[in-house]
Amino acid sequence: MKTQFYPLLFLLVLLQSCETKEVEKKWTGDNVLKTAVFQGISLLGDSLITDVDTVAQQDQLKKLFEAERAYAEEPSLDNLIWIGRREAYLGRYDLAIRTFTKGIEENKNAFEPLRHRGHRFISTRELDRAIEDLEKAADLMQGQALQIEKDGMPNAFNIPLSNVQFNVWYHLGLAHYLKGDFESALKAYQSCLTVSNNDDLLIATLDWYYMALMKLGKTEEAQSVIKPVHEKMTVLENDDYLKRILMYKGILVPEDLLKADVNLENQRLQYVTQGYGLGNHYLSLGDTSKAKIIFENVVASGFWSAFGYIGSEMELTKLRNE
């Protein structure tokens, strides 16, 4: 027997979960419900708030309903993970973490839900919990064949590029990096390189690997790591990371990186990603004042789920404590 779904009723239950802290909820007319939900505390001590809009996010809500329906018809781990992924795309990391936790509890030897929960613990700034999940996932996936991970938000070519193993090592490296444990980050990125089996993954890994080396003062090694990177690499998704590396190599000038308009929704991620790389580059040159301005501009974007934003939080926290 198939379960019947009532989208509006389901949405109300989703938004009114007793395990979340609503900051504000209001009807704005035409059955549009806008809800602000607390998700965590930033590295700077600010509240992280997700705004859910039943109209603006209609497409993502529809995909969440479809994931719920698929799980009702076939309660597999993969279908459960898709519910969590869809919840995360709505900015409801609290619900996604709860869903992935269910997957972990019901599948003790599965590394996939640990990979996703670890990722979302980074989103909510729970870095120690992220590291714990991702290290366990790394142990469980040893000896497993590379597992392609379908994209929830496909690229323009609709070609999935990443694999689960890559995402475990990549996010583990990021969690260590954001904690300032650059040695541990390097170890994770070294493992990540072994499963970076296309130019997009290679570029993303090398960018963070390079920055971790620079944080440790290993300038020559950092330059050696990115030496093979060139302008004609086949990059479908990670062009922002490629531009950052080309800047590190001196092929692009810093001004080339911040041409994105932070006020345009489709360019905000580009602005934040390139902004963190540029600010960090100025830090490595000793230009703290210029770096601080860029980090503050990134944080002012409000796009707090982006890794470049979290990195900017980390840097501003350090600068304020110096």
Side-chain angles (χ1 to χ4, degrees):
M1 179 178 178
K2 295 182 180 180
T3 303
Q4 186 173 3
F5 285 83
Y6 301 89
L8 181 56
L9 176 61
F10 174 76
L11 176 61
L12 290 174
V13 172
L14 173 74
L15 296 178
Q16 296 175 7
S17 169
C18 62
E19 295 185 19
T20 64
K21 179 181 177 183
E22 290 178 356
V23 177
E24 181 183 14
K25 180 172 67 180
K26 60 182 179 180
W27 291 94
T28 61
D30 299 323
N31 291 326
V32 178
L33 179 63
K34 291 187 176 181
T35 304
V37 185
F38 175 81
Q39 296 293 311
I41 300 294
S42 78
L43 302 182
L44 292 169
D46 301 318
S47 293
L48 302 172
I49 305 296
T50 285
D51 295 312
V52 181
D53 185 324
T54 59
V55 172
Q57 295 175 296
Q58 191 172 37
D59 183 57
Q60 283 298 334
L61 285 166
K62 180 181 178 182
K63 291 176 180 178
L64 174 56
F65 302 147
E66 291 170 353
E68 286 277 355
R69 185 179 295 112
Y71 182 71
E73 295 176 349
E74 183 184 348
S76 65
L77 174 60
D78 186 57
N79 284 340
L80 181 63
I81 286 174
W82 271 108
I83 292 174
R85 293 181 70 179
R86 294 298 178 192
E87 289 168 337
Y89 296 149
L90 282 162
R92 288 303 304 268
Y93 305 119
D94 54 332
L95 297 181
I97 287 170
R98 185 176 66 181
T99 298
F100 297 139
T101 298
K102 173 179 169 63
I104 292 165
E105 291 173 346
E106 295 178 352
N107 301 269
K108 300 296 185 182
N109 295 317
F111 56 88
E112 297 90 344
L114 287 161
R115 166 268 186 270
H116 287 284
R117 191 174 72 171
H119 178 177
R120 293 313 169 188
F121 276 142
I122 294 175
S123 299
T124 58
R125 311 324 194 240
E126 299 172 88
L127 301 178
D128 289 331
R129 299 181 76 178
I131 290 169
E132 182 179 356
D133 273 2
L134 295 165
E135 286 182 340
K136 186 173 182 181
D139 288 339
L140 289 171
M141 72 186 188
Q142 285 189 38
Q144 300 289 326
L146 288 187
Q147 183 176 317
I148 298 299
E149 189 170 278
K150 294 181 181 178
D151 293 324
M153 296 181 178
N155 56 47
F157 302 89
N158 198 25
I159 301 174
L161 295 173
S162 67
N163 58 75
V164 181
Q165 287 88 341
F166 164 84
N167 278 311
V168 169
W169 290 119
Y170 182 80
H171 290 96
L172 180 57
L174 178 64
H176 282 304
Y177 181 98
L178 293 171
K179 279 183 64 68
D181 184 355
F182 303 117
E183 290 286 2
S184 294
L186 285 182
K187 292 177 183 178
Y189 289 133
Q190 287 164 357
S191 295
C192 196
L193 284 173
T194 67
V195 291
S196 297
N197 58 351
N198 58 58
D199 284 351
D200 272 271
L201 303 188
L202 181 63
I203 287 296
T205 305
L206 286 178
D207 183 275
W208 289 97
Y209 190 13
Y210 169 91
M211 290 192 295
L213 286 167
M214 291 297 288
K215 293 291 189 186
L216 293 168
K218 300 181 179 182
T219 305
E220 291 185 9
E221 186 177 349
Q223 290 297 329
S224 176
V225 160
I226 61 173
K227 190 174 181 179
V229 176
H230 56 86
E231 296 170 274
K232 295 184 179 180
M233 296 181 77
T234 306
V235 176
L236 305 183
E237 294 179 0
N238 290 324
D239 185 60
D240 293 339
Y241 285 132
L242 177 58
K243 287 179 180 177
R244 290 191 345 185
I245 295 178
L246 293 176
M247 180 192 65
Y248 306 149
K249 290 169 67 75
I251 297 173
L252 294 180
V253 297
E255 290 73 22
D256 290 332
L257 261 69
L258 282 185
K259 291 181 179 179
D261 187 346
V262 71
N263 296 310
L264 297 178
E265 188 67 27
N266 64 346
Q267 293 186 29
R268 288 174 74 205
L269 179 58
Q270 178 185 351
Y271 180 90
V272 170
T273 301
Q274 294 190 349
Y276 175 67
L278 181 57
N280 200 38
H281 178 65
Y282 282 126
L283 270 187
S284 70
L285 297 177
D287 194 340
T288 303
S289 59
K290 189 172 288 188
K292 185 178 179 181
I293 291 172
I294 294 173
F295 295 142
E296 288 175 341
N297 288 339
V298 168
V299 171
S301 74
F303 197 11
W304 58 262
S305 61
F307 295 155
Y309 187 108
I310 308 175
S312 296
E313 287 181 355
M314 176 194 74
E315 304 295 356
L316 286 173
T317 300
K318 289 181 179 178
L319 290 172
R320 291 177 184 180
N321 291 332
E322 289 180 353

